Amino acid sequence: PRAGSFQYADGTTLRVTGFGSEVRNTDLQPEFGEFGHVLRIHVLQGKGIAFVEYKDKDDATDAMEALDGKKVLGCTLSVSAAGPPPDPRTRT
């Protein structure tokens, strides 16, 4: 799925950073799946950034509070609510 298909407005998508470049979405699924129904995980390979989209905002909030600053796979994660990506049409 394209990144543009993620829902950003309703607070269900989290931005996750701080993990190694070899981490895959299958590594993150068990950690984030504990908190509720994960619709999709998109890892930007080699950048150490992932987006995790939940079905429910409450689950996303719980995951963010529990996993922000937590050690996962030997790395300390930073988890925040994801804002929409910059629109390429509005670049100056």
Side-chain angles (χ1 to χ4, degrees):
R2 290 189 39 238
S5 60
F6 279 76
Q7 299 300 310
Y8 294 99
D10 49 9
T12 55
T13 301
L14 301 178
R15 180 178 191 267
V16 185
T17 59
F19 52 83
S21 58
E22 69 288 340
V23 168
R24 305 249 180 278
N25 54 1
T26 50
D27 299 321
L28 297 175
Q29 175 68 47
E31 299 291 335
F32 286 87
E34 269 184 58
F35 298 94
H37 184 93
V38 173
L39 295 177
R40 73 185 125 225
I41 298 176
H42 178 69
V43 175
L44 300 176
Q45 283 309 136
K47 295 201 187 308
I49 300 173
F51 292 95
V52 180
E53 185 180 356
Y54 282 90
K55 188 168 187 240
D56 297 309
K57 180 179 181 178
D58 290 346
D59 296 338
T61 302
D62 290 347
M64 179 168 62
E65 289 171 357
L67 293 175
D68 186 40
K70 183 177 181 239
K71 259 190 149 19
V72 173
L73 305 165
C75 305
T76 302
L77 297 184
S78 174
V79 184
S80 58
D87 188 332
R89 293 169 301 189
T90 59
R91 283 205 188 117
T92 53

